[in-house]
Amino acid sequence: MHNEQENQTQRWWAAMLRDPHWWVPVIVLVAGLIMLQWIR
Amino acid sequence: MATAAIPALETSRLKKLQALGMMCGFAAGAWLGAAEAPTKLVRAGLSPVLISLLMVVGVFLARWGVPALARGTSQVYADAQQAPHLIVWAVLAGCLWAVANTLTIFAIRDIGLSIAFPLWNMNSLLGIFWGVLFFHELRGAGRRRWLGVLGGAALMFAGALLLAVASPTQAPPGRALQGVLAALGAGVLWGTMYIPYRKAYLTGMNPLSFVAFFSVGELGMMTVLALRSAGGPVLLWQQLAGARPVLFWLAAGGFIWVIGDLFQQYAAKYAGLSRGIPLSNTNQLWGLLWGMLVFGELRGRGVSLYALVIGGSVMVAAGAAAIAFSSATPGEHERWQAAATRESKLYGTDIEYVRAGLEGRALERGTRRTVLDWALLAIATLVFAVLAAMARAPMVALNTGAAIALLVSIVAILAVCGTALWRMTRFS
């Protein structure tokens, strides 16, 4: 049961890494934080 | 593991859901616009970041209280089990919101609301772009619908520009470049935040579940930003303690905002980003109505200013109408379903769960409340009651009759739209 859950979690992480949409919000968030630091 | 395509969905049902989504977009505009009203009651010299944090506290309580009341948190848990990856997307969206909101505060400080608002309002244009690029929206929609959506969004943007010029808040010049970049940055962050929204709803997640996880990212990021801004937890606590008399009004603003945001989520789910987001941007019209009628903001100003306001309002309304009449065709719906199948295949989400979400029905029936639900409701009510007991009556002159009339209007919109949502989707 525990192994099955672990495998499932690994599958989801692998799917997330394959997801081509990830980079857009992540890059935009990092850029936003940098901008915030600069604007203060 | 589901790999099959989604079986064809009933066209008449999809049409009704699309109309419901459009209706939710307009309702979102009304409630998001009204959320500004309680914050206008606060005249104390609070830091903008603190104001934002306090609103987010109200938002957090509402975002866990409303799902507990409407469906029970067991449904939130069931959603999380079906598509756990969406928790990460929701938290990410919450972080994007918090950073964008803080950037708007600096933008207003540097260039004033009149220039900043239309700049960050371009988020709906970016929302359309991501909708087309990533989620097959407007594909196979035909020239007339493309023109309706893009022309409508452009008209709303131009109208927003006119309304913003008429806005009474101005800031001293000096840091124009930073201000413009902050406003544009906020627009890009908010526009990008719609990617997680659409991803969640194509996968079939319930908006009430999504916003609950979203608020974790929102409150977490906002707390970090407020701690940095205040200079540490002790100083932040001192600021909070000093703001006791106005805490209730800010939290109430957050609560009203959540209702608008929930409608926006349903609009994004059932009408898509390209229609739902521009429609909810009618909030500027409602914000202006509250400002003019309740707080007397434009009283005694010139005729040319009223011409700007009327012209801008007509343009925003015409743009919204153009979008509302450009509903998705069955061909476009097929493209949406193809995008949903892609998401389902990638993450191995149960195809029946995805289909149920697209059709606006819950896979699991029954909304039995648990002890946790009642505890969440009790905590949210208690916090609001304590804040209300500490609140000081506002010292701002306002037109009570107009405030009551606007309140009655938005409550009527809530009742009509909420009933339609319940009847058609059981808040799915």
Side-chain angles (χ1 to χ4, degrees):
Chain A
M1 184 68 185
H2 178 69
N3 275 346
E4 193 187 324
Q5 207 167 17
E6 207 168 281
N7 286 341
Q8 207 172 28
T9 311
Q10 279 174 358
R11 274 205 304 274
W12 273 312
W13 277 113
M16 278 199 263
L17 291 174
R18 281 201 310 276
D19 191 332
H21 300 160
W22 267 110
W23 59 271
V24 180
V26 170
I27 289 175
V28 168
L29 178 62
V30 173
L33 286 168
I34 293 169
M35 180 181 265
L36 207 53
Q37 185 68 24
W38 173 69
I39 276 167
R40 266 168 208 287
Chain B
M1 186 76 48
T3 51
I6 299 169
L9 305 176
E10 201 187 321
T11 312
S12 61
R13 170 83 178 161
L14 291 177
K15 267 189 182 168
K16 281 182 193 161
L17 288 173
Q18 171 99 184
L20 181 68
M22 302 275 198
M23 202 168 144
C24 287
F26 282 111
W31 279 82
L32 291 174
E36 285 175 33
T39 61
K40 283 181 197 271
L41 298 173
V42 179
R43 287 281 186 271
L46 298 180
S47 92
V49 176
L50 191 70
I51 290 179
S52 195
L53 173 70
L54 292 171
M55 281 187 79
V56 168
V57 170
V59 164
F60 187 81
L61 289 170
R63 276 185 165 163
W64 281 92
V66 173
L69 184 69
R71 298 168 73 225
T73 43
S74 56
Q75 301 283 319
V76 177
Y77 180 71
D79 266 333
Q81 278 194 317
Q82 287 283 355
H85 65 284
L86 290 176
I87 298 173
V88 187
W89 278 101
V91 172
L92 181 62
C95 293
L96 285 165
W97 184 91
V99 177
N101 197 51
T102 312
L103 278 173
T104 63
I105 295 162
F106 288 103
I108 294 170
R109 181 198 68 182
D110 293 342
I111 54 172
L113 187 68
S114 59
I115 303 171
F117 196 103
L119 290 179
W120 76 61
N121 225 10
M122 50 68 87
N123 69 60
S124 61
L125 297 175
L126 192 62
I128 295 173
F129 175 74
W130 294 132
V132 173
L133 188 70
F134 287 157
F135 305 111
H136 303 181
E137 288 188 19
L138 287 170
R139 303 267 179 98
R143 197 176 295 172
R144 195 178 68 80
R145 282 180 168 78
W146 267 94
L147 196 69
V149 172
L150 285 181
L155 204 57
M156 287 183 77
F157 180 75
L161 212 64
L162 286 187
L163 290 180
V165 170
S167 161
T169 23
Q170 295 292 344
R175 290 166 55 94
L177 179 67
Q178 281 98 324
V180 168
L181 287 176
L184 284 173
V188 171
L189 279 142
W190 270 330
T192 306
M193 179 185 77
Y194 301 131
I195 296 176
Y197 279 31
R198 192 65 181 140
K199 219 167 176 62
Y201 303 140
L202 277 177
T203 309
M205 187 172 249
N206 185 297
L208 292 169
S209 303
F210 184 77
V211 297
F213 297 116
F214 180 100
S215 65
V216 174
E218 191 179 30
L219 185 62
M221 181 58 83
M222 206 56 238
T223 307
V224 170
L225 294 175
L227 281 170
R228 265 189 68 84
S229 168
V234 178
L235 290 171
L236 179 63
W237 182 253
Q238 282 173 356
Q239 285 187 10
L240 285 171
R244 262 188 313 188
V246 297
L247 291 179
F248 173 75
W249 303 109
L250 294 171
F255 190 91
I256 294 172
W257 188 85
V258 165
I259 298 177
D261 179 60
L262 275 172
F263 279 127
Q264 190 183 46
Q265 304 282 342
Y266 283 107
K269 178 170 182 176
Y270 294 121
L273 298 180
S274 52
R275 279 89 169 181
I277 303 304
L279 289 181
S280 61
N281 272 1
T282 48
N283 68 336
Q284 199 181 357
L285 275 183
W286 286 90
L288 196 76
L289 272 180
W290 278 91
M292 280 172 63
L293 302 178
V294 179
F295 298 100
E297 279 177 355
L298 300 181
R299 200 173 298 150
R301 309 276 292 270
V303 177
S304 59
L305 195 81
Y306 284 100
L308 274 180
V309 170
I310 293 166
S313 307
V314 169
M315 282 167 83
V316 172
I323 295 167
F325 284 114
S326 308
S327 57
T329 57
E332 190 185 339
H333 267 295
E334 278 175 26
R335 305 297 183 99
W336 292 14
Q337 286 161 35
T341 306
R342 178 196 67 203
E343 294 293 314
S344 162
K345 279 180 181 168
L346 181 61
Y347 289 100
T349 317
D350 180 6
I351 205 79
E352 264 312 301
Y353 175 76
V354 177
R355 183 189 158 94
L358 288 175
E359 281 185 333
R361 28 179 206 93
L363 194 58
E364 292 170 47
R365 288 290 178 204
T367 48
R368 208 163 52 86
R369 306 289 181 287
T370 62
V371 178
L372 179 66
D373 297 325
W374 297 118
L376 277 172
L377 280 170
I379 291 168
T381 312
L382 187 69
V383 170
F384 272 105
V386 170
L387 294 181
M390 291 191 304
R392 202 173 48 210
M395 306 299 277
V396 181
L398 53 90
N399 183 337
T400 320
I404 291 171
L406 281 173
L407 266 177
V408 169
S409 317
I410 62 168
V411 169
I413 290 170
L414 170 70
V416 171
C417 207
T419 308
L421 259 174
W422 171 252
R423 281 195 180 149
M424 279 192 71
T425 72
R426 295 285 186 268
F427 297 133
S428 286

